[in-house]
Amino acid sequence: MKKTRLLALAMSALMLLSACGGGDGPAPSDKPTSGTETQQPGGPAKDNLVVAVSTEPSSLDPQNVNMVTAFMINKHVMDRLFVSDESYNITPSLASEYEWVDDTTLRVKIREGVKFSTGEDLTADDVVYTIKRACTKPQSATTFEFFDGENTAKVDEYTVDIKLKQAYPNALTVLASGRAGIVSETSINEMGEDAYGRAPVGSGKFVVTSWASGDRIELTRNDNYWGDKPAYKDLTFRIITETASRTIEVETGGADIAFDINADDVVRLEENPDVSVVKGPSATMNHLVINSVNFDTLKDPKVRQAMHMALDMDAIVQVVFKGYGTVASSLAPDSATGFKAVGPTKYDPEGAKALIAESGFDTSTVIKLQLYKNQQIQAMAEMVANMWNAIGLNVEIEILDRATLVTNNGNGQTPMCITTVTASDGNIESVFRMWETASYGFTDDEELVARMKAAKGITNEEERMAAYAALQEECWNLNTVIPIAVADNIFAVRSNVQNFVFHPDKTPDLSKVTFG
């Protein structure tokens, strides 16, 4: 049996797959940076990397989207002032220099000579525009809550003073996040936001050339990129929602890399000499979310508690993830900074029935469980619905496309769904942002939300972690979010693909890939 490439977060393991693990350092000496194909014995190397993804983003506008797939694609198109590698180490990117003038002023000098793909110079004006925009757009405003967009200002053509409303320990983390891609003010004004979201103009390593809805998003190398250029010319993201189909595409060579591989397929893939399995810990959690603020059905906390008690999480994880996952014990994966185990909740179906009876809940009421089309999530939903029906509830499953579900959920139009949350910056803070957004309807307790916001600004590390520990326990007991499992990330990679670097939040830097 061919050796599986088993990855963890440890750098030593990561280096097994990548000779250029993170950041924007020099490329290996044998990595081509011209537009020519890589020569190797037997002829030229592939000049097109094909990646099969499970979901289609609703947009690629970094401040107007809330999907991990969008951020993963967008990072290849747009530069950020700072970048975060697979171990969440932050280094400057567009920022050539930076300094903290005071606790609330970050002065950033921007690299000179950087151009957008239109040929327009990227200047301080675009950075100021991006920060102001991120502070006001609904999808990014919570992330940029402590940024003072109104007072962020241009110092000179390539220097910006980014202002904060108060001291904020994770400011650089936010500026390295997916929502911080520097956009072109000129292009947004000329194209309009909807068109810009379909073909965003950035200064990154690739340019979006086409988007065929439901099929693929095609990028081509930006040969005018200011830094190290990819070794290959074209990057194609094929949208394949069926897990089995993604697996087959990698097996047959139709795709070079496939995301979100089903645990059932791992053994077969490991026996295929043309494919490697890359797996490791995830920053993403599957959970049930209940909008108890905007919908009356599940307002009673006893009913929600009963629903949590009725779920045999061990059975769900074993059946759905085949050992490639763990039962959730908090609101975030245990890899997140500030994680505290506060669960899991004891499986007690008889106790759940008693709570339902005590609440007086009308069990004939239809409870809709919404989800997006995904083999594992659908299997999870069926087990959840069966367990709830077993305690006398009347649960119906409704399947939507992911973009619709994410949009509806963010707009407060989803009563209950199974979805995911990603600690995208490796910090517990990112998980609580949904709690702070009123439309999600997790809580209408203004004092609780105020404590969540305050925790982000605590500069003493020990005190901040203590605040987050208390919040995790309190929110766990509300049962408006019912964490289920943290599943391992599993990728399938063709054996000729080199330098694929695993990332726990499923946003690998594919520009470093070469073919051997």
Side-chain angles (χ1 to χ4, degrees), residues 107-124:
R107 178 163 292 172
V108 177
K109 289 189 177 295
I110 306 160
R111 293 180 185 273
E112 296 187 28
V114 175
K115 293 183 180 294
F116 288 108
S117 57
T118 55
E120 173 195 9
D121 289 333
L122 189 155
T123 68

Side-chain angles (χ1 to χ4, degrees), residues 70 135 512:
C135 290
K512 299 182 184 296

Side-chain angles (χ1 to χ4, degrees), residues 42-355:
K46 273 169 57 66
D47 215 18
N48 180 21
L49 179 66
V50 180
V51 181
V53 295
S54 58
T55 58
E56 180 173 13
S58 56
S59 171
L60 293 178
D61 181 336
Q63 286 96 48
N64 261 339
V65 72
N66 191 30
M67 295 177 70
V68 172
T69 303
F71 297 137
M72 186 270 292
I73 296 174
N74 181 276
K75 77 186 295 181
H76 297 87
V77 178
M78 297 209 165
D79 282 321
R80 306 165 191 172
L81 294 174
F82 301 87
V83 292
S84 176
D85 67 13
E86 62 281 349
S87 297
Y88 301 110
N89 300 308
I90 297 173
T91 54
S93 181
L94 276 181
S96 60
E97 299 177 29
Y98 70 99
E99 64 170 326
W100 285 100
V101 177
D102 54 47
D103 286 347
T104 59
T105 306
L106 175 66
R107 178 163 292 172
V108 177
K109 289 189 177 295
I110 306 160
R111 293 180 185 273
E112 296 187 28
V114 175
K115 293 183 180 294
F116 288 108
S117 57
T118 55
E120 173 195 9
D121 289 333
L122 189 155
T123 68
D125 291 320
D126 297 293
V127 174
V128 171
Y129 174 76
T130 298
I131 299 298
K132 291 180 182 293
R133 186 173 190 260
C135 290
T136 57
K137 289 298 175 184
Q139 296 282 23
S140 56
T142 302
T143 302
F144 280 80
E145 179 182 14
F146 286 114
F147 285 75
D148 185 351
E150 290 185 6
N151 291 308
T152 292
K154 170 183 175 180
V155 177
D156 59 41
E157 195 69 6
Y158 292 100
T159 307
V160 175
D161 277 351
I162 298 174
K163 298 293 289 186
L164 303 176
K165 296 176 182 177
Q166 64 176 67
Y168 179 40
N170 285 322
L172 293 186
T173 300
V174 170
L175 292 174
S177 73
R179 292 181 175 85
I182 303 301
V183 298
S184 165
E185 179 178 9
T186 300
S187 296
I188 290 177
N189 289 337
E190 289 178 351
M191 300 169 66
E193 290 193 339
D194 290 343
Y196 188 86
R198 297 287 292 186
V201 172
S203 61
K205 297 178 182 180
F206 291 90
V207 178
V208 177
T209 53
S210 68
W211 184 340
S213 294
D215 182 30
R216 64 187 62 211
I217 300 173
E218 296 181 332
L219 282 59
T220 193
R221 182 175 56 212
N222 178 8
D223 286 327
N224 294 318
Y225 180 65
W226 56 269
D228 296 330
K229 299 173 182 63
Y232 58 92
K233 181 176 180 290
D234 297 312
L235 174 57
T236 300
F237 294 96
R238 294 184 57 194
I239 301 153
I240 305 175
T241 57
E242 292 289 344
T243 308
S245 298
R246 288 194 303 278
T247 302
I248 291 170
E249 286 300 311
V250 172
E251 289 178 303
T252 60
D256 300 299
I257 300 170
F259 283 48
D260 301 317
I261 295 300
N262 196 304
D264 288 332
D265 296 326
V266 170
V267 172
R268 186 177 84 251
L269 289 171
E270 287 178 336
E271 294 175 343
N272 186 333
D274 296 324
V275 181
S276 289
V277 176
V278 178
K279 55 182 181 284
S282 174
T284 299
M285 174 182 291
N286 297 106
H287 60 188
L288 287 147
V289 296
I290 299 171
N291 191 328
S292 63
V293 176
N294 297 342
F295 296 88
D296 292 333
T297 305
L298 300 176
K299 274 189 178 295
D300 192 328
K302 289 183 179 179
V303 175
R304 299 195 304 269
Q305 182 183 356
M307 293 169 76
H308 200 163
M309 292 166 59
L311 299 180
D312 185 346
M313 298 299 189
D314 287 325
I316 292 172
V317 170
Q318 184 56 43
V319 171
V320 175
F321 300 109
K322 305 295 189 297
Y324 296 107
T326 57
V327 173
S329 58
S330 189
L331 300 178
D334 59 10
S335 60
T337 302
F339 165 87
K340 179 189 177 182
V342 293
T345 294
K346 182 182 178 181
Y347 173 53
D348 183 6
E350 294 306 315
K353 289 178 184 177
L355 267 180

